[in-house]
Amino acid sequence: MAKISAGVLLFRRRPAGVEVMLVHPGGPFWARKDAGAWSIPKGLVNEGEDWLAAAKREFQEETGMAIEGECLDLGAHKQPGGKTIAAFAHAGDFDPASLTSNAFSIEWPPHSGRTAEFPEVDRAAWYSIDEAMEKAAPGQRPIIAALAEKLGAKAPEAGE
């Protein structure tokens, strides 16, 4: 069975237009990657767990901020690797400097026998819809486009 992840795309309205908050994955593999590496805060849904509840849990684990109130359903988006992301959007604000992420452990350096701990998310930032389409992982661009469409904001095609 294909895995399901759930996540929340935080957004805010500014005079220049809608901005969305994306997070950058932590760990050595992602350290030097930027364009095409950013993501919505998301994670795996536990068996039998409500998708929205999972999305809110994962958002809090990866950012330190609890999502309270209504969320917009942005649909389920199949990723190139086969996983599906159930995406939701929430209007709110977040100071990227306040980011506190959970951590994971891996053997690092590879084949060293040593274990190192890294934050699951190492930074967060606000981007315009156009900037977010460049920064986001390709499979997640349709999520940003879905939000833009729901809000009546301009977004380039997900494939552009």
Side-chain angles (χ1 to χ4, degrees), residues 47-108:
E47 190 170 330
E49 186 176 20
D50 175 77
W51 290 0
L52 179 56
K56 288 180 175 184
R57 172 182 50 78
E58 287 293 333
F59 189 94
Q60 185 165 9
E61 286 178 3
E62 292 190 0
T63 67
M65 177 185 155
I67 296 289
E68 310 268 339
E70 295 293 314
C71 288
L72 297 170
D73 187 342
L74 298 178
H77 301 266
K78 189 163 176 101
Q79 301 301 288
K83 184 190 298 184
T84 296
I85 298 174
F88 301 89
H90 180 75
D93 207 352
F94 179 80
D95 178 2
S98 70
L99 181 76
T100 55
S101 177
N102 54 347
F104 67 96
S105 298
I106 59 168
E107 182 181 6
W108 192 258

Side-chain angles (χ1 to χ4, degrees), residues 7-159:
V8 174
L9 179 59
L10 194 65
F11 71 94
R12 64 187 183 185
R13 295 179 191 269
R14 291 290 187 250
V18 174
E19 292 180 337
V20 296
M21 189 192 80
L22 298 177
V23 295
H24 186 270
F29 177 76
W30 297 101
R32 292 185 174 89
K33 293 179 175 36
D34 188 53
W38 292 71
S39 173
I40 71 169
K42 64 176 177 16
L44 289 176
V45 175
N46 296 321
E47 190 170 330
E49 186 176 20
D50 175 77
W51 290 0
L52 179 56
K56 288 180 175 184
R57 172 182 50 78
E58 287 293 333
F59 189 94
Q60 185 165 9
E61 286 178 3
E62 292 190 0
T63 67
M65 177 185 155
I67 296 289
E68 310 268 339
E70 295 293 314
C71 288
L72 297 170
D73 187 342
L74 298 178
H77 301 266
K78 189 163 176 101
Q79 301 301 288
K83 184 190 298 184
T84 296
I85 298 174
F88 301 89
H90 180 75
D93 207 352
F94 179 80
D95 178 2
S98 70
L99 181 76
T100 55
S101 177
N102 54 347
F104 67 96
S105 298
I106 59 168
E107 182 181 6
W108 192 258
H111 313 294
S112 68
R114 293 187 302 234
T115 301
E117 193 168 277
F118 299 95
E120 195 167 329
V121 166
D122 62 13
R123 59 191 185 269
W126 287 97
Y127 295 107
S128 70
I129 297 291
D130 287 344
E131 292 168 326
M133 293 297 270
E134 292 176 20
K135 294 284 188 179
Q140 293 187 38
R141 292 173 187 160
I143 297 169
I144 297 163
L147 174 66
E149 183 178 321
K150 281 201 184 263
L151 298 179
K154 180 183 166 289
E157 291 299 311

